[in-house]
Amino acid sequence: MSGEGAQATVPNATQPRSPLWKAFHRSGRMAPYALDPVLRIANALLGLLIPLLLGPAEFGVYALVVTLYAYGIILDFGLAQLIDRRVPALVGAGRQLELARLVSALLWLRLCIASTALVGGSLVLTGLSIGGMLPFGLASGVLSLAAGLAYMVALGPLSVHRAKLHHRTFNLGNCALGAVLFVMRTVGLLAAGVLGCFAALALGYGLLAALLQSRMLPDPRHRPTLRRAASLLGQGLPLFLVGLVWAFYMTAIRWTVSRLAPPEEFGQFAFGANVVYLLVGTIGSLSQFYYPRAATRFAAGGAFSISRTLAYDLGRLALGAGFVSAVGILLCGPFIGFFLHRYADAVPAMQTLIAAIPALAVASWLMPLLLSTSVAQPWLEGLVVYPAAVAILVVTATNGYHRAGPTGAAYGLVASALPLLAAKLWLLRRARVMSWGVAAALLSINVAVTAGLLLLALR
């Protein structure tokens, strides 16, 4: 009797589940995947609404301080990409001891990089502040860098989970990162403006990094020697250079104009630059669903095997981004005038900046494709292509500002975007990924789209 009662009350794994239980279980498993895009959209919208919480001058300060946070996130010297390359091979081969040693070494290195960068960065910022060359508060700058580095440390264990195909754990961690960004940034901004924002982010990401690291503690016995550390850093350095210089290129227009314009005027300009940064980043993030398949097809088919496909896909991307940009140029004036009237002076420069979006969007899609098709390209991109684009941007933006104020400076981004795209197309031709004809066609499409957008902005 008691045995029958126990059998009736204890669920048996072999018994069929009810449809309601199956639906609940399935929704629980899918929740992280559904929540991640929701949080991305929420954070993007919050990024557009931050100017409502801050005046133009204070938003200009925010636009500069947040760049340190962005640099800190990627300051891992390419170790995340190294995890993606090495861990799946070791998992597939069943080499568990070697896998444990590699993971511990990489996690130790990330912690060392974060602590060294925080101390070194704080000293540099302190020196700039003492010399009167820091355009924002020292505390805000240090906290922004700390928040980015804590985010980078949190990404260490998550990168391992991603490489091991632990999709659910990886997505849960991603959702946690997105939630911290949304909640802490909002609370911090409302409580204490720019300083409060980065203080809250540093606290939130610091706690999350500690939690994630505690669940994947690196083994002290596998702490890398100097030779081992130098070898791992050397393998990731080319990939790191590309990511770092791209991030600096995308924010260089802010630093350039901040040196030239008074605070209120720079805040107006920074608003437009921030919108372009968000849009290019959103479009660029979609490349993660495209380039792995393209790279796999190229590896299987050989030279020029995906040339025509790239012409079709990237041509459509340029035209689609051009259409979105045209709508943005037409609507940004009425939208800002109605919802963000304090930023009405930003409209002319913003319309010019928007004209650079199609070329930058295509360039952002080409970056991972270049990294995955030739080992030589990262050095050329990191040491030649991006620095040249930054130089063009700084020179043309500076001259443009002296001639026509913020709107003239905005032409610097447009003037640098097309040469940057041309250089990337040349690298793809050099790697025998696309033909000269396709490269010329894609460049012509982007030149035509950009010219049309500039004419629309000047109407």
Side-chain angles (χ1 to χ4, degrees):
M1 183 76 175
S2 60
E4 292 175 358
Q7 189 174 6
T9 56
V10 177
N12 191 322
T14 61
Q15 293 177 350
R17 307 292 190 183
S18 69
L20 182 61
W21 188 94
K22 290 180 180 178
F24 178 78
H25 181 68
R26 192 160 48 244
S27 64
R29 291 180 61 85
M30 294 302 296
Y33 303 95
L35 185 58
D36 182 58
V38 171
L39 285 168
R40 287 178 184 272
I41 294 171
N43 278 308
L45 292 175
L46 177 60
L48 294 174
L49 292 175
I50 286 175
L52 283 173
L53 305 176
L54 306 172
E58 193 177 9
F59 180 75
V61 173
Y62 171 86
L64 289 179
V65 177
V66 77
T67 60
L68 300 178
Y69 164 77
Y71 300 156
I73 289 176
I74 62 174
L75 199 64
D76 70 340
F77 284 81
L79 296 184
Q81 289 85 350
L82 203 57
I83 289 172
D84 288 338
R85 289 185 173 188
R86 299 279 300 277
V87 168
L90 294 175
V91 170
R95 295 151 66 179
Q96 295 301 321
L97 180 58
E98 189 176 348
L99 173 64
R101 288 175 176 170
L102 176 66
V103 168
S104 288
L106 291 172
L107 293 180
W108 276 118
L109 268 180
R110 293 176 75 94
L111 289 171
C112 291
I113 290 169
S115 56
T116 303
L118 182 58
V119 173
S122 298
L123 290 175
V124 170
L125 291 172
T126 300
L128 292 173
S129 179
I130 292 173
M133 295 181 288
L134 198 64
F136 43 76
L138 174 61
S140 296
V142 171
L143 288 169
S144 177
L145 180 61
L149 291 171
Y151 191 115
M152 184 268 284
V153 171
L155 282 177
L158 293 183
S159 297
V160 176
H161 286 303
R162 179 181 60 203
K164 289 183 175 181
L165 301 182
H166 298 165
H167 298 303
R168 179 175 170 80
T169 304
F170 173 71
N171 277 279
L172 282 170
N174 247 357
C175 289
L177 289 170
V180 168
L181 179 60
F182 183 79
V183 173
M184 302 304 278
R185 185 165 56 162
T186 304
V187 171
L189 282 168
L190 291 173
V194 175
L195 179 62
C197 169
F198 293 104
L201 284 176
L203 175 62
Y205 283 133
L207 292 174
L208 183 59
L211 174 63
L212 293 173
Q213 200 70 53
S214 69
R215 295 175 177 271
M216 193 181 289
L217 286 173
D219 193 330
R221 296 172 299 173
H222 299 153
R223 195 176 308 175
T225 63
L226 286 177
R227 174 180 287 186
R228 172 71 164 157
S231 173
L232 292 172
L233 291 174
Q235 294 175 54
L237 184 59
L239 306 174
F240 166 71
L241 278 176
V242 174
L244 180 65
V245 185
W246 168 257
F248 183 74
Y249 168 77
M250 287 300 298
T251 54
I253 191 75
R254 304 184 197 180
W255 290 101
T256 301
V257 178
S258 72
R259 295 184 302 105
L260 304 169
E264 187 81 11
E265 187 177 65
F266 170 65
Q268 299 278 348
F269 181 88
F271 171 69
N274 189 58
V275 171
V276 171
Y277 180 84
L278 287 172
L279 289 173
V280 173
T282 301
I283 296 173
S285 67
L286 298 176
S287 67
Q288 64 184 316
F289 302 105
Y290 178 80
Y291 84 87
R293 183 176 56 186
T296 301
R297 287 184 57 191
F298 173 74
F304 308 117
S305 57
I306 60 172
S307 184
R308 294 174 64 88
T309 301
L310 290 176
Y312 179 69
D313 293 340
L314 297 179
R316 288 198 305 170
L317 173 64
L319 294 173
F323 174 77
V324 172
S325 300
V327 173
I329 289 173
L330 293 172
L331 296 184
C332 69
F335 179 86
I336 292 174
F338 186 78
F339 293 103
L340 296 161
H341 59 274
R342 287 191 296 177
Y343 292 86
D345 292 341
V347 172
M350 183 176 177
Q351 290 175 325
T352 303
L353 289 167
I354 288 174
I357 288 178
L360 292 176
V362 175
S364 69
W365 273 48
L366 294 181
M367 181 169 65
L369 186 60
L370 279 166
L371 291 176
S372 59
T373 52
S374 174
V375 295
Q377 308 306 341
W379 290 109
L380 286 171
E381 281 195 278
L383 297 178
V384 179
V385 172
Y386 285 121
V390 170
I392 293 171
L393 185 152
V394 171
V395 171
T396 53
T398 301
N399 290 335
Y401 182 84
H402 290 313
R403 291 174 179 271
T407 304
Y411 280 94
L413 186 63
V414 181
S416 65
L418 290 172
L420 173 63
L421 177 60
K424 284 178 170 287
L425 293 171
W426 173 76
L427 288 174
L428 282 170
R429 173 58 185 84
R430 185 176 181 272
R432 300 172 66 82
V433 176
M434 66 170 55
S435 66
W436 281 121
V438 167
L442 286 173
L443 183 59
S444 299
I445 291 172
N446 280 274
V447 169
V449 169
T450 301
L453 292 173
L454 286 175
L455 289 173
L456 186 61
L458 291 170
R459 76 195 189 285

